[in-house]
């Protein structure tokens, strides 16, 4: 079954620690995205990558970092510089935009709680 | 600046009746719109989409209407079922040239409760 796997599903972090959230896809999609969900604010874009070895900041990139060394993988690091890291993090991917479709497929999410 | 807005945080309807979820956008560059459904602690799943060249798209019980002049879209669910209870997000993107980054801009979401 093709899909997106996020891990861990739940993560607790002490203040001042960096944590890395994993995102792996086997859909052969070129583009991958990280969103953050907070109550009442919908999904906000953190970073996205349209191709391997390239990525761009989204609307709320401060305090986060990413890498895209492989097509299948797009890990997100939440650094100690992120002031309010407690949230539900969603990874997504999308295929060929040339077809006119811009449908993102999402993983199941990772909930990060800062203690 | 919230480019995509869902002004109703919640909606409650009776099973079998119609659910209407609304969404407004401000960016005239948006030309592709989607609705996602999300259950707690899960990722959103794609429901239905519409291109700006259309004003209606239907898929089973779900119909999306687009009013470009008003920059407004709505999702109709008929008949509503208890399993439809979830958070619904509308999203928008631009497929035009250099604006086509593939990223989606999401609204805040509307929580739908369908009562048996």
């Amino acid at each position: 079954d093709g899909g997106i796997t996020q891990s861990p599903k739940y993560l607790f972090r002490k203040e001042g620690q960096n944590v890395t959230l994993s995102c792996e896809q086997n859909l052969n999609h070129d583009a991958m995205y990280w969103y953050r969900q907070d109550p009442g604010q919908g999904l906000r874009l953190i970073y996205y990558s349209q191709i391997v070895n390239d990525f761009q900041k989204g609307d709320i990139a401060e305090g986060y970092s990413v890498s895209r060394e492989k097509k299948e993988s797009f890990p997100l690091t939440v650094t100690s510089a992120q002031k309010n890291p407690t949230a539900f993090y969603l990874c997504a991917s999308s295929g060929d935009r040339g077809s006119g479709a811009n449908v993102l497929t999402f993983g199941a999410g990772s909930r990060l709680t800062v203690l | 600046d919230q480019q995509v807005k869902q002004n109703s945080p919640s909606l409650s309807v009776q099973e079998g009746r119609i659910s209407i979820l609304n969404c407004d956008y401000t960016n005239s560059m948006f030309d592709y719109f989607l609705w996602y459904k999300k259950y707690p602690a899960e990722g959103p799943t794609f429901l239905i989409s519409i291109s700006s060249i259309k004003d209606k798209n239907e898929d089973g019980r779900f119909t999306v209407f687009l009013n470009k002049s008003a920059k407004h879209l709505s999702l109709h669910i008929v008949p509503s079922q208890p399993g439809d209870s979830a958070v619904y997000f509308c999203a928008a993107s631009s497929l035009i040239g250099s604006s086509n980054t593939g990223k989606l801009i999401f609204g805040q979401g509307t929580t739908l409760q369908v009562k048996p």
Side-chain angles (χ1 to χ4, degrees):
Chain A
D1 269 339
I4 299 179
T5 302
Q6 289 187 242
S7 63
K9 190 164 181 64
Y10 299 97
L11 184 61
F12 297 89
R13 183 193 101 174
K14 293 181 180 179
E15 283 195 33
Q17 286 182 333
N18 293 355
V19 293
T20 297
L21 307 180
S22 170
C23 178
E24 303 279 332
Q25 55 103 354
N26 61 3
L27 299 166
N28 200 33
H29 284 170
D30 286 319
M32 296 186 74
Y33 309 82
W34 275 105
Y35 285 87
R36 167 179 171 147
Q37 184 189 10
D38 295 282
Q41 295 197 52
L43 279 63
R44 293 182 292 166
L45 183 64
I46 304 172
Y47 266 98
Y48 64 104
S49 168
Q50 296 175 280
I51 199 167
V52 175
N53 292 323
D54 187 44
F55 49 83
Q56 288 80 39
K57 293 181 179 180
D59 300 317
I60 55 166
E62 184 176 354
Y64 299 96
S65 66
V66 293
S67 63
R68 187 85 188 278
E69 297 176 1
K70 298 186 301 182
K71 186 175 185 177
E72 303 79 17
S73 178
F74 192 40
L76 174 74
T77 296
V78 185
T79 76
S80 57
Q82 169 50 233
K83 300 304 180 189
N84 297 295
T86 294
F88 190 55
Y89 290 87
L90 288 158
C91 179
S93 69
S94 67
D96 179 17
R97 296 193 306 281
S99 67
N102 210 25
V103 179
L104 268 58
T105 300
F106 283 87
S110 294
R111 180 164 296 282
L112 172 62
T113 302
V114 174
L115 303 173
Chain B
D1 178 31
Q2 189 79 28
Q3 297 185 70
V4 179
K5 297 180 183 179
Q6 294 176 255
N7 292 317
S8 297
S10 62
L11 174 68
S12 181
V13 300
Q14 207 66 34
E15 181 179 7
R17 306 294 291 268
I18 184 171
S19 295
I20 300 176
L21 297 99
N22 294 303
C23 179
D24 297 292
Y25 63 96
T26 57
N27 191 338
S28 57
M29 294 291 287
F30 290 148
D31 55 6
Y32 192 74
F33 305 90
L34 307 88
W35 284 93
Y36 280 82
K37 175 181 179 180
K38 184 183 181 300
Y39 294 115
E42 295 183 9
T45 55
F46 170 73
L47 262 182
I48 192 169
S49 63
I50 188 166
S51 164
S52 60
I53 62 173
K54 296 184 176 181
D55 55 16
K56 177 183 175 182
N57 189 27
E58 190 172 355
D59 184 2
R61 297 185 297 114
F62 302 91
T63 303
V64 56
F65 295 92
L66 175 63
N67 182 334
K68 282 185 294 182
S69 60
K71 292 189 176 68
H72 176 83
L73 64 153
S74 60
L75 175 68
H76 293 210
I77 306 174
V78 181
S80 301
Q81 300 173 353
D84 295 329
S85 298
V87 179
Y88 289 79
F89 291 97
C90 69
S93 69
S94 174
L95 301 180
I96 301 171
S98 60
S99 300
N100 187 1
T101 60
K103 62 181 182 179
L104 297 181
I105 307 300
F106 285 84
Q108 307 96 310
T110 297
T111 300
L112 173 65
Q113 182 185 27
V114 180
K115 297 179 180 179

